[in-house]
Amino acid sequence: MKNIIAVVGRPNVGKSTFFNKVIGERKSVVNNLPGVTRDRVYGESDWSGVPLTFIDTGGMVLEKPEEINKSINLQAELAMDIADVILFLVDAKEGLNPADHLLAKYLKQRQKSKQGQKQGKDSTGQGKDSAGQGKDSKGQCGKAKESGAQGKTKTVPILLVANKVDNPQQNTTQYDFYNLGLGSPIPISAEHSLGTGDLLDEILAKLNAIPQDLEEESKLKIAVIGKPNVGKSSLINKLLKEDRLIVSDVAGTTIDAIDTPISVGGKDYIIVDTAGIRRKRSIELDSVEYYSVVRSFIAIRRADVVLIVLDANEPISEQDVRLAGYVDSQGKPSVVVLNKWDLAKQDAYTINTHTKNLQKELDFMAYFKPIFVSALTGQRIEKIFELVDYVHFNASRRIQTSILNEALRDATSAVEPQSVKGRRLKIKYITQDSTNPPTFILFVNDATLLKDNYKRYLENSFRKAFNFEGTPIKILPRSD
């Protein structure tokens, strides 16, 4: 998932008002008192069919910041680190403020620093130390960091946004912001939704100008997720056949989503190790862990396949179910990996017992494919890529319309739709709209008559008819 836009500025310039307008809900607290928004808030929107993720941040204070301001500044810095575009909001009604000058200077220095880092990496090539090992002080391999998209240094474009321009003809203070040296200010009124369309067009233009790594995009991306200490990093090290990632019993060792390329059987993959995801109420909002977890969820959204790693020696927890539910809601094919199988008490019925428990707890995603492995001994590790390819193939399949409608006739003949208040659903035909996940348009007389239980029945019928193992499928009713 790319297209991340960080909204920054000094306190009380209207960042949260703008954020709420573009995502279409009152998610950020809006108040005229400075400093109301202290933490980063994430929201999703789209413009011209392009999905966008906005991050609202607290007002930054650079001159003699108090402890709370230091925390807010850190949150904004973390937001900018993962952003593809930065929106620098200023208050055109109040006019140019000394704090705006400080922030503009800070943003330009930050951008210049990032450019310098990129040039430094380009000139050194591999970025290794003098010994050629490429390891940092903690022993983590620098190659693993530099090889992935998350570890690459990029220059993030900055858009200067003059907010609170309720009447562009009468407001002239917006032009004072040219003095900040960040280009032409884009006038908007977030409160009255004036100029936001032009701003969103400019955001898309900046996103389109970002060079895309086509070679990387062609590789199958595998996100590895799970709670802390289920053995994700150990599993990846075993898949890579080398110790690239730090392995520790201390929860939180992995704090970033690290991309690592690998080639298996002539096929290229990118494996993304993510931070262990605890329950939301266990995470402090102003902590590095919060930032790490957000990166993990973004990794899920941009993945082609997700490995949901569980500890085979522990009962399936509510958090395990929540994570699986998020993967399902994002329409991602997945493999449920039960790790530490070498430590499980086993008999002839152990795998069946675990599988039945999974079926009970993950009944909302009955399509899941399980595998029982040991990252320590390497047991069944080589089978993971086979399953990844299998579920991705199923998620990418297209079914001919004629064959689909034949299966539809068989399903409706076996079980007819129930009547709703004397009205019966009449199903006309079905077509496949897209893949990843397989999405079907069901043309009916009245879409409101398709109830969840019958839609699940149709999903299960198609899954059985066409073997959509390992991937969710979607059926969208449309009144014709």
Side-chain angles (χ1 to χ4, degrees):
M1 174 62 185
K2 299 181 180 178
N3 302 343
I4 301 173
I5 298 97
V7 185
V8 303
R10 61 182 176 83
N12 213 29
V13 294
K15 297 184 298 298
S16 295
T17 301
F18 168 77
F19 175 86
N20 289 336
K21 286 289 184 180
V22 293
I23 69 168
E25 60 178 294
R26 195 178 177 84
K27 193 170 185 179
S28 276
V29 178
V30 178
N31 194 300
N32 289 327
L33 296 176
V36 170
T37 304
R38 295 184 177 181
D39 305 300
R40 301 184 317 285
V41 181
Y42 292 74
E44 296 178 353
S45 181
D46 71 84
W47 185 250
S48 299
V50 179
L52 304 171
T53 299
F54 286 88
I55 311 177
D56 186 23
T57 65
M60 297 183 69
V61 177
L62 300 183
E63 187 176 19
K64 298 179 180 179
E66 300 176 356
E67 284 303 314
I68 185 62
N69 296 123
K70 290 180 181 178
S71 176
I72 292 171
N73 292 348
L74 172 62
Q75 293 296 311
E77 180 73 27
L78 296 176
M80 289 186 284
D81 279 343
I82 64 173
D84 297 297
V85 174
I86 296 171
L87 301 186
F88 175 31
L89 259 67
V90 292
D91 187 338
K93 185 172 290 186
E94 180 181 323
L96 194 56
N97 185 293
D100 295 324
H101 274 292
L102 284 176
L103 266 174
K105 182 179 179 182
Y106 162 78
L107 290 172
K108 287 186 288 186
Q109 288 177 340
R110 185 179 185 278
Q111 193 175 54
K112 186 176 180 180
S113 173
K114 295 292 183 182
Q115 289 174 335
Q117 291 176 25
K118 184 178 188 300
Q119 292 170 358
K121 285 186 179 180
D122 290 342
S123 63
T124 57
Q126 301 299 321
K128 293 184 178 181
D129 60 20
S130 58
Q133 300 302 313
K135 293 186 178 181
D136 59 22
S137 59
K138 294 182 180 179
Q140 185 167 357
C141 181
K143 184 179 179 182
K145 285 187 177 181
E146 292 177 6
S147 61
Q150 299 288 1
K152 290 180 179 178
T153 302
K154 59 183 179 182
T155 302
V156 180
I158 301 170
L159 292 178
L160 177 61
V161 182
N163 190 25
K164 305 183 185 180
V165 182
D166 299 336
N167 189 330
Q169 285 72 34
Q170 295 180 4
N171 188 299
T172 58
T173 59
Q174 58 182 297
Y175 302 110
D176 295 339
F177 294 102
Y178 278 98
N179 295 321
L180 297 178
L182 289 171
S184 302
I186 302 172
I188 70 166
S189 172
E191 184 176 1
H192 301 292
S193 299
L194 298 175
T196 53
D198 293 338
L199 173 57
L200 290 169
D201 285 339
E202 189 63 30
I203 290 172
L204 292 191
K206 293 297 183 184
L207 291 172
N208 290 333
I210 298 174
Q212 301 297 316
D213 189 337
L214 298 180
E215 180 181 353
E216 179 184 294
E217 290 298 317
S218 67
K219 298 176 182 178
L220 198 67
K221 291 178 283 294
I222 307 169
V224 184
I225 70 163
K227 296 185 304 183
N229 288 342
V230 294
K232 297 185 300 298
S233 295
S234 296
L235 179 67
I236 292 176
N237 284 339
K238 186 62 70 171
L239 290 171
L240 298 174
K241 297 182 179 179
E242 59 178 294
D243 293 338
R244 285 203 190 180
L245 304 177
I246 298 174
V247 176
S248 172
D249 291 332
V250 178
T253 301
T254 302
I255 63 171
D256 203 355
I258 301 174
D259 291 15
T260 307
I262 181 175
S263 182
V264 179
K267 187 169 182 177
D268 294 327
Y269 304 86
I270 292 177
I271 299 180
V272 186
D273 184 29
T274 64
I277 304 173
R278 296 193 297 162
R279 292 177 302 175
K280 186 176 180 180
R281 62 177 177 266
S282 302
I283 303 172
E284 296 181 9
L285 288 179
D286 60 351
S287 65
V288 173
E289 182 183 6
Y290 178 79
Y291 159 73
S292 303
V293 168
V294 169
R295 291 292 288 269
S296 297
F297 281 114
I298 291 174
I300 292 171
R301 288 156 55 185
R302 71 185 185 91
D304 298 303
V305 176
V306 179
L307 300 184
I308 305 171
V309 184
L310 310 178
D311 188 332
N313 300 284
E314 295 182 0
I316 301 172
S317 67
E318 289 183 13
Q319 182 65 356
D320 293 324
V321 174
R322 288 193 190 97
L323 291 176
Y326 184 78
V327 174
D328 175 73
S329 72
Q330 296 300 307
K332 301 297 181 180
S334 59
V335 177
V336 178
V337 181
L338 285 95
N339 191 24
K340 305 182 183 181
W341 190 241
D342 56 305
L343 302 177
K345 295 180 180 179
Q346 300 182 35
D347 56 33
Y349 307 100
T350 307
I351 287 183
N352 286 337
T353 301
H354 277 73
T355 301
K356 287 181 179 179
N357 288 337
L358 284 172
Q359 290 171 340
K360 179 181 178 182
E361 298 295 337
L362 304 180
D363 59 339
F364 58 90
M365 52 182 295
Y367 56 82
F368 73 86
K369 290 291 294 181
I371 184 171
F372 301 83
V373 307
S374 169
L376 181 63
T377 67
Q379 183 182 14
R380 298 192 190 91
I381 289 293
E382 74 284 352
K383 299 290 184 182
I384 289 179
F385 285 106
E386 294 179 17
L387 279 181
V388 165
D389 289 339
Y390 176 68
V391 300
H392 182 256
F393 172 79
N394 286 343
S396 306
R397 292 172 60 201
R398 278 194 173 273
I399 311 298
Q400 290 182 5
T401 301
S402 59
I403 299 175
L404 267 177
N405 282 278
E406 184 177 341
L408 177 63
R409 285 192 294 271
D410 291 341
T412 54
S413 297
V415 180
E416 292 186 357
Q418 294 179 336
S419 296
V420 179
K421 295 181 179 180
R423 298 188 64 206
R424 185 178 295 276
L425 176 74
K426 293 181 180 180
I427 299 176
K428 300 180 179 182
Y429 63 99
I430 190 169
T431 62
Q432 185 168 357
D433 180 65
S434 59
T435 61
N436 296 296
T439 302
F440 305 93
I441 306 298
L442 187 69
F443 291 88
V444 299
N445 61 326
D446 186 347
T448 62
L449 297 176
L450 180 62
K451 301 305 177 184
D452 289 341
N453 59 345
Y454 197 76
K455 186 165 75 168
R456 282 194 297 270
Y457 164 71
L458 291 178
E459 288 175 356
N460 292 333
S461 297
F462 286 129
R463 191 178 300 287
K464 184 177 180 180
F466 302 114
N467 189 31
F468 284 120
E469 280 192 301
T471 178
I473 62 176
K474 294 182 179 181
I475 296 179
L476 307 177
R478 181 177 297 174
S479 300
D480 188 15

